[in-house]
Amino acid sequence: MSDWVPTTCMRCAVGCGHMHQAADIGYGIDTVRGDAAHPVNQGLACARGIQESRDPDGQWLTRPLVRSDGELRQTTWDVALAHAVEGLRDAHERDPDSVAVLGSGQQTNEAAYALGKVARGGFGTRNYDANTTLCMASAVTAYYQAFGSDAPPCTYADIEDADRHVVWGANPAVAHPVMFRWIRQAADEAGVEIVVVDPVRSETAENAEHHVAPDPGTDLALSRAVLARIVETDRVDAAFVEAATDGFDALLDVLPDAESAAEMAGVPMTNVDLLADAFDERALVYWGMGINQHVQGTEMARALVDLTLATGNLRPGGGPFSLTGQANSMGTRVCSSKGSWPGQRPFEDPNHRRTVADRWDVPVDRLPDDAGPGPVGILEAGPDAVWTVATNPVAGMPEADTVRETLDDAFLVAQDAFHTETTAIADVVLPAATWGESEGTTTNMERTISRVRAATEVPSGVRPDLDIIATIGSRLFRGLFESTSPDPAAVFEEFTALTEGTVADCSGITYDRLEDAHAVRWPAPDIESAGGYRYYEGDESGGDADTGADDAGGPETESWSFPTASGNAQFSTGRQGALPEPTDDDYPLTLTTAREADGYNTGVRSRGGAAGDLVARVHPDTIDEHADSVAEDRLTVVSRRGSATARLDPDEGVPRGMVWLPIHHPATNRLTLAELDPQSKEPHFKQCAVRLTAPETELPPATAD
């Protein structure tokens, strides 16, 4: 029997420790179970994480492919790499910004760091980003603006200490099942409750004590109604606001009254009071794509942060906790140079640019001085060459038909472990190793770094992401890497050294330390330290560190520290605006999108190569109103950008007038909007106007022809 190998699940961002056992004959993973020694999950594991690690249903890529006479044909690695390098070099010689690089939250920290080094330090392109911007950028921007740094202040340890779990625009019962088990277990204690805010009665709402259903896209109005109610009833934590925040008076100047804001959100005042009451307790506020994927996503996320600030819920057992989807979204943000230089060094600071250039031994003027336009803007600019790594923009980007046209017109290098809609149209396909075949580290949503280990050999036609990236980078830019097969531990050490002294200091984390401790949370500036609850420095009198209570009483004995200009947390002044595409007579229904249990990362690991039926969940009353559009159990959903035929699933949990589609089905994003949050550059996936028609009216996919 093969030895058990400890690793980390790469399906979602909970970061569960797994144990893998390789097949005795050939390649692959034979057995997967939770790792009882891992401090994150202590042996818990979800069925999906086990299944997709052991036996994914996706169509594996096993040999490099190059397009010839319009067809993708198997070739050697030497030929494929030469063709990729030639196409990327030709575009780069015309203009560095004519090269676009799109990374992923599915890479290890080491591969993400290396890809950013090639994109920024080699090509010097502004047009580099990752699919994490499509789901997390609004939360990231909100954290920076409110606290001066990215990432949740909370940790998993706070879940069992919270009295109220307010889940707002997220569905962790489906997206993060192990984490939701902790939330549900915590809520089994007397007096502890889950409150869900979601237009749809989701699986999480089914398991909650309370469900508040605002009108789609009006979460900012609802959050302002709750804050206004807290202010009106004199429940602001004035001592905390005075001691640790700025901007509360400016917020009060623009704060609507509770009743008018509640009316805008379509929510009765009884539900506003329910939510306001939740913040009287130690409240953890979790949010996800329902907040982030909106043209006001940053303002909406900040409004949730404002609720925690106004009520003093920035202590252990409470706080604002954005739920990350992809396994290594956090690592991509901290190490890949996409939105900041490693360690959250700001792009606009010339001293940080100079530090990065010196460490990489590249001219400082090669490095871009801003983070670029985001994934939507990158493709809208029409790059000459695009290199995608572990991402599937043809299915995952809004206005997908237009994205397909853009990528058809470009020289496209697609690097992935599985066949995707993007590899299908690529000029060069580079097959990469997947989970259980790769070495490195990953970072979960609570800032914890742990090891990813290979339990099986890499098949002969496949190479690790890090090796592919370093090989292309070395051939294009001599000296950028010391080897075309770099040691992941050496790359990790290079990355952590670059974070030394920053707000995201990982310099005290090493492979040897991870071997002993299994997982370490940043910031960790030395080998003895590890991050805890962020920004809260505790009770200086020696009282209760969880609540700040002590014999003298009051938060004046506590202290907080934020890396902002003033040293204080910042309130915001956003107010609810109009939706970018409201319903009208021609398009009378609202489309929303969300995750399914088996639909992560465009579903390429779970749908067996074929996407299968698109399923539309619609309220029975809405179906009755549009009965002429239903043929047997099928209909076509049409937006101003495209159409998609779906199988109908009557669901009373979906509000009347709404159509629910799974975001990771490749047909869904033919319909969605590319309008962006101007601050985060995250697309507005969650609401657009649609109509229903009979199935035979479906439009064909757009093509370059």
Side-chain angles (χ1 to χ4, degrees), residues 330-378:
M330 176 68 72
T332 303
R333 287 142 59 183
V334 172
C335 71
S336 76
S337 303
K338 78 174 194 71
S340 64
W341 300 115
Q344 298 184 8
R345 296 175 182 268
F347 261 84
E348 61 273 13
D349 188 321
N351 293 324
H352 285 298
R353 290 177 69 246
R354 191 173 299 109
T355 296
V356 173
D358 289 346
R359 297 288 182 90
W360 288 351
D361 195 22
V362 300
V364 69
D365 59 2
R366 182 182 297 175
L367 302 183
D369 56 9
D370 68 77
V376 171
I378 286 171

Side-chain angles (χ1 to χ4, degrees), residues 103-287:
S104 168
Q106 290 297 297
Q107 300 172 264
T108 62
N109 289 319
E110 294 77 3
Y113 173 78
L115 187 65
K117 188 176 182 180
V118 174
R120 302 301 200 187
F123 292 115
T125 183
R126 292 179 67 247
N127 290 321
Y128 163 60
D129 214 301
N131 56 19
T132 55
T133 296
L134 302 176
C135 54
M136 291 306 301
S138 296
V140 169
T141 306
Y143 278 141
Y144 272 121
Q145 293 177 356
F147 302 135
S149 175
D150 172 27
C154 327
T155 74
Y156 296 154
D158 297 304
I159 294 174
E160 65 179 350
D161 293 330
D163 300 310
R164 292 293 181 272
H165 299 270
V166 182
V167 183
W168 200 312
N171 189 11
V174 160
H176 306 97
V178 170
M179 184 181 189
F180 187 68
R181 180 171 174 180
W182 299 330
I183 295 171
R184 187 62 263 175
Q185 286 175 336
D188 288 339
E189 297 295 321
V192 178
E193 295 180 346
I194 301 172
V195 183
V196 172
V197 181
D198 195 320
V200 175
R201 187 164 183 81
S202 66
E203 291 84 350
T204 300
E206 292 285 354
N207 284 275
E209 284 73 24
H210 307 284
H211 175 215
V212 177
D215 291 342
T218 64
D219 301 87
L220 184 50
L222 177 56
S223 61
R224 289 315 195 202
V226 176
L227 180 57
R229 192 62 172 156
I230 289 168
V231 171
E232 292 166 4
T233 52
D234 196 25
R235 288 184 280 175
V236 172
D237 187 336
F240 171 81
V241 170
E242 175 65 24
T245 73
D246 294 328
F248 189 57
D249 288 342
L251 170 55
L252 291 180
D253 287 343
V254 298
L255 190 66
D257 66 88
E259 290 193 3
S260 62
E263 183 178 1
M264 183 178 294
V267 170
M269 281 300 298
T270 53
N271 283 345
V272 172
D273 283 328
L274 170 71
L275 287 164
D277 290 347
F279 288 91
D280 289 341
E281 313 292 337
R282 285 192 295 187
L284 270 176
V285 185
Y286 314 83
W287 78 90

Side-chain angles (χ1 to χ4, degrees), residues 541-612:
S541 72
D544 181 353
D546 282 345
T547 65
D550 56 52
D551 293 339
E556 64 274 5
T557 60
E558 299 175 283
S559 64
W560 292 262
S561 178
F562 303 92
T564 60
S566 68
N568 287 336
Q570 305 295 305
F571 279 99
S572 67
T573 57
R575 294 188 65 172
Q576 182 72 50
L579 295 179
E581 190 178 70
T583 58
D584 57 23
D585 290 342
D586 293 328
Y587 295 89
L589 304 177
T590 296
L591 170 68
T592 196
T593 63
R595 285 197 175 104
E596 291 180 306
D598 60 352
Y600 256 84
N601 306 311
T602 69
V604 297
R605 299 181 69 94
S606 57
R607 52 181 163 90

Side-chain angles (χ1 to χ4, degrees), residues 9 11-12 16 18 32 34 41 43-52 174-178:
C9 179
R11 189 175 195 282
C12 79
C16 295
H18 273 189
V32 177
N41 59 311
L44 286 177
C46 73
R48 297 195 316 271
I50 290 173
Q51 170 65 20
E52 289 197 13
V174 160
H176 306 97
V178 170

Side-chain angles (χ1 to χ4, degrees), residues 279-507:
F279 288 91
D280 289 341
E281 313 292 337
R282 285 192 295 187
L284 270 176
V285 185
Y286 314 83
W287 78 90
M289 304 309 98
I291 296 297
N292 296 335
Q293 292 177 333
H294 191 286
V295 289
Q296 290 187 280
T298 299
E299 291 179 320
M300 287 160 58
R302 288 203 68 184
L304 297 184
V305 173
D306 289 343
L307 287 171
T308 68
L309 296 180
T311 57
N313 268 296
L314 203 68
R315 300 176 171 95
F321 204 156
S322 68
L323 300 183
T324 306
Q326 292 189 81
N328 200 28
S329 178
M330 176 68 72
T332 303
R333 287 142 59 183
V334 172
C335 71
S336 76
S337 303
K338 78 174 194 71
S340 64
W341 300 115
Q344 298 184 8
R345 296 175 182 268
F347 261 84
E348 61 273 13
D349 188 321
N351 293 324
H352 285 298
R353 290 177 69 246
R354 191 173 299 109
T355 296
V356 173
D358 289 346
R359 297 288 182 90
W360 288 351
D361 195 22
V362 300
V364 69
D365 59 2
R366 182 182 297 175
L367 302 183
D369 56 9
D370 68 77
V376 171
I378 286 171
L379 294 186
E380 285 181 344
D384 293 335
V386 181
W387 179 13
T388 68
V389 180
T391 188
N392 184 16
V394 172
M397 294 274 281
E399 296 194 21
D401 287 353
T402 301
V403 170
R404 179 187 291 271
E405 290 180 353
T406 298
L407 294 177
D408 268 336
D409 289 341
F411 176 79
L412 177 59
V413 180
Q415 179 175 323
D416 213 308
F418 294 91
H419 174 78
T420 71
E421 288 74 21
T422 301
T423 64
I425 65 170
D427 297 284
V428 180
V429 177
L430 304 176
T434 185
W435 315 338
E437 302 170 349
S438 302
E439 294 283 338
T441 58
T442 187
T443 313
N444 74 359
M445 73 173 83
E446 59 146 13
R447 298 176 270 118
T448 295
I449 295 176
S450 59
R451 283 296 312 276
V452 175
R453 293 180 175 88
T456 183
E457 294 292 324
V458 178
S460 60
V462 173
R463 295 187 181 182
D465 272 326
L466 180 58
D467 287 12
I468 300 170
I469 293 163
T471 299
I472 291 176
S474 296
R475 292 190 183 186
L476 285 166
F477 310 106
R478 188 178 302 276
L480 196 62
F481 295 97
E482 293 183 0
S483 168
T484 57
S485 296
D487 176 18
V491 176
F492 185 77
E493 184 178 358
E494 180 181 326
F495 151 64
T496 58
L498 198 46
T499 71
E500 185 175 4
T502 70
V503 294
D505 195 330
C506 301
S507 60

